[in-house]
Amino acid sequence: MTKIPMTTPLVEMDGDEMTRVLWKEIKDILILPFVDLKTEYYDLGLEYREQTKDQVTVDSAMATKKYGVAVKCATITPNAARVKEYNLTEMWKSPNGTIRAILDGTVFRTPILVKGITPYIPTWTKPITIARHAYGDVYKNTEMKVPADSKAELVVTDKDGNETRALIHDFKTPGIIQGLHNIDESIENFARSCFNFALDSKQDLWFATKDTISKQYDHRFKDIFAEIYEKDYKEKFEAAGIEYFYTLIDDVVARVVRSNGGYIWACKNYDGDVMSDMLATAFGSLAMMTSVLVSPEGNYEYEAAHGTVQRHYYKYLKGEETSTNSVATIFAWSGALRKRGELDGNDALVDYANKLEKATIDTIENGVMTGDLYAMSTLENKKKVNSEEFLYAIGETLRNLYN
Ligand code: NAP
Ligand code: MG
């Protein structure tokens, strides 16, 4: 077949370890035979981050602002062990953190469902997407231990030096306190990202906080969502036949468990941290979870939700066979290519992205899968294959979809 042309390049962010190995194989086996791939390449592998003093990470985020769509491989976030292993001059920050700080977005995570892998809640027949606010609250807190016989207060000093005070607690015995904050603009960006994503994916949006208890803080989240919805999204939601629904966090948890899935669940930062791990586990596996960062300006960065799969990489280095699941990384590529195709009016590219996802799911549902899925699948005729065989099997299914 003639290769599908592209007009605008994708921002390609390469990464580390086993996922870097899979990255190249996905391109060679599944993309390059079909697409005349155009990318602007940034090597976020730890060695090149070290060489460029992490400038490459910043450059890749700026390129995402320029072109609008990026696809990212999993990367090492250095810790003390990595500083030694890679002989680093500095413990470079998490690339995801750096990119998120530049793009200022919301992270949406969606499980990929396949026949044979039954969620722990079997009535979840459609995916549940978590949208996690990625700024503030307990992640930017200030906290203290308080000795006995002390008074703790909140003090706000305005630009003229006027103080507003509120008593937190009059301590008779020792205790603890914590100061949290968030910023209206960040909450507004969060709300817009969620409303836009709901419209994009034609799914209802659910949002919950504890505004009955937190009458100022959580209530502000509720109000900002409601104001923006009324002003800018209500009509669009009605036209699209989707719903915005607000309730309390404990109520939403009960409703999620009783639901069939098929909606977006917007979460405050901490709720999103906790609930996304619960959902990933309940749906089966982190290797079947996609992740996209959507900025308020409408830039998209697609990636897998898992890490670099270090343990498999060390086996690979020793020449041992690996059976690493590439599905989330394949879906990062398909997500980015589909979005690029939509923005460029490139129907063939959108169709290719859809076919790549279908081929991946069909391959697993036909019984060919990596070890992690093999251990969970209830299919009768299932076969465990290695990392590369899995990609070749998808390639064959994909070719058949074009014939
Ligand atoms: P991980 O790479 O997610 O892997 C943890 C374990 O989960 C693996 O050992 C494997 O279990 C299983 N697993 C994860 N993905 C899999 C896949 N695609 N196929 C099969 N099994 C999979 O987490 P980690 O080992 O804790 O972290 C490794 C590195 O990744 C760290 O340096 C961390 O900084 C980085 N990281 C990056 C990102 C990111 O870039 N977004 C996110 C998280 C972590 P078994 O070993 O039992 O097979
Ligand atoms: Mg977490």
Side-chain angles (χ1 to χ4, degrees):
M1 68 181 263
T2 51
K3 290 191 190 183
I4 298 157
M6 286 178 68
T7 41
T8 317
L10 278 183
V11 178
E12 176 183 355
M13 305 171 176
D14 207 345
D16 288 299
E17 299 194 311
M18 199 61 210
T19 40
R20 187 182 180 99
V21 175
L22 297 175
W23 192 259
K24 180 168 187 317
E25 291 182 345
I26 290 169
K27 286 204 299 183
D28 288 346
I29 299 169
L30 296 177
I31 301 175
L32 294 174
F34 299 88
V35 179
D36 192 8
L37 185 68
K38 270 205 176 102
T39 72
E40 194 163 291
Y41 180 84
Y42 292 87
D43 185 358
L44 301 198
L46 188 48
E47 280 157 12
Y48 197 64
R49 273 184 275 151
E50 165 70 22
Q51 269 185 50
T52 61
K53 305 273 172 232
D54 210 24
Q55 184 59 36
V56 64
T57 308
V58 174
D59 292 347
S60 73
M62 296 314 288
T64 307
K65 273 181 177 266
K66 177 174 168 197
Y67 291 110
V69 187
V71 56
K72 180 180 171 293
C73 181
T75 46
I76 292 169
T77 297
N79 55 15
R82 299 298 199 164
V83 169
K84 231 171 134 190
E85 181 183 356
Y86 283 83
N87 213 355
L88 302 180
T89 52
E90 216 176 289
M91 199 184 288
W92 305 110
K93 286 193 202 139
S94 148
N96 286 32
T98 302
I99 293 166
R100 216 174 286 156
I102 293 171
L103 296 180
D104 174 26
T106 301
V107 177
F108 295 85
R109 291 195 157 182
T110 310
I112 301 154
L113 306 192
V114 290
K115 258 186 239 114
I117 312 280
T118 311
Y120 284 93
I121 296 182
T123 46
W124 286 356
T125 51
K126 286 175 274 181
I128 298 168
T129 297
I130 287 242
R132 175 181 170 189
H133 185 210
Y135 179 83
D137 301 350
V138 75
Y139 301 86
K140 284 229 181 275
N141 73 345
T142 307
E143 46 186 34
M144 275 184 219
K145 286 183 179 159
V146 181
D149 302 314
S150 319
K151 190 167 78 172
E153 289 174 291
L154 284 177
V155 183
V156 175
T157 313
D158 72 15
K159 62 181 191 325
D160 302 320
N162 304 313
E163 288 183 352
T164 310
R165 287 169 177 267
L167 178 70
I168 297 172
H169 191 67
D170 226 334
F171 286 86
K172 305 289 177 238
T173 56
I176 43 182
I177 58 167
Q178 184 176 57
L180 308 184
H181 81 276
N182 222 299
I183 294 167
D184 285 0
E185 190 187 4
S186 174
I187 303 168
E188 286 164 19
N189 288 341
F190 173 46
R192 285 186 193 282
S193 298
C194 292
F195 290 130
N196 288 336
F197 198 87
L199 282 171
D200 250 15
S201 62
K202 295 207 172 39
Q203 296 183 90
D204 291 346
L205 176 68
W206 296 9
F207 181 45
T209 71
K210 195 70 181 174
D211 65 281
T212 46
I213 299 297
S214 173
K215 292 187 193 316
Q216 304 268 351
Y217 197 104
D218 276 20
H219 215 287
R220 189 81 193 115
F221 279 81
K222 178 185 177 180
D223 288 345
I224 286 175
F225 267 70
E227 283 158 23
I228 291 180
Y229 178 68
E230 287 298 322
K231 189 157 75 71
D232 293 335
Y233 290 95
K234 193 165 191 252
E235 280 167 24
K236 291 180 193 159
F237 267 52
E238 282 166 4
I242 58 174
E243 192 188 7
Y244 169 59
F245 171 64
Y246 177 86
T247 185
L248 289 168
I249 185 73
D250 41 351
D251 180 50
V252 91
V253 168
R255 285 173 189 265
V256 164
V257 170
R258 286 196 306 265
S259 77
N260 298 125
Y263 49 87
I264 297 155
W265 179 10
C267 291
K268 285 178 63 201
N269 209 348
Y270 174 81
D271 299 342
D273 187 355
V274 177
M275 291 304 163
S276 65
D277 279 14
M278 189 273 285
L279 277 195
T281 309
F283 272 109
S285 160
L286 213 52
M288 298 292 281
M289 192 63 128
T290 63
S291 186
V292 56
L293 174 72
V294 183
S295 84
E297 292 160 10
N299 300 311
Y300 293 77
E301 184 243 315
Y302 292 83
E303 60 172 344
H306 60 78
T308 60
V309 212
Q310 180 182 18
R311 208 179 64 81
H312 295 209
Y313 181 59
Y314 289 167
K315 277 174 73 177
Y316 167 86
L317 287 181
K318 280 191 267 172
E320 291 172 26
E321 186 164 83
T322 59
S323 184
T324 313
N325 188 338
S326 45
V327 171
T329 306
I330 294 170
F331 273 63
W333 275 101
S334 59
L337 289 167
R338 183 190 297 106
K339 181 53 72 181
R340 191 67 271 165
E342 285 170 5
L343 294 175
D344 292 350
N346 186 342
D347 294 342
L349 194 60
V350 173
D351 180 59
Y352 164 80
N354 293 338
K355 282 194 166 80
L356 175 58
E357 291 182 359
K358 180 170 165 39
T360 305
I361 290 171
D362 284 357
T363 302
I364 299 167
E365 295 187 342
N366 289 334
V368 179
M369 60 195 82
T370 47
D372 57 320
L373 298 181
Y374 184 83
M376 290 187 291
S377 175
T378 56
L379 293 185
E380 284 190 0
N381 291 314
K382 56 179 178 178
K383 184 177 153 208
K384 178 182 160 177
V385 293
N386 69 34
S387 309
E388 228 174 33
E389 287 167 346
F390 183 58
L391 293 171
Y392 280 114
I394 296 170
E396 201 183 309
T397 318
L398 182 55
R399 246 181 301 281
N400 286 333
L401 290 178
Y402 274 103
N403 289 332

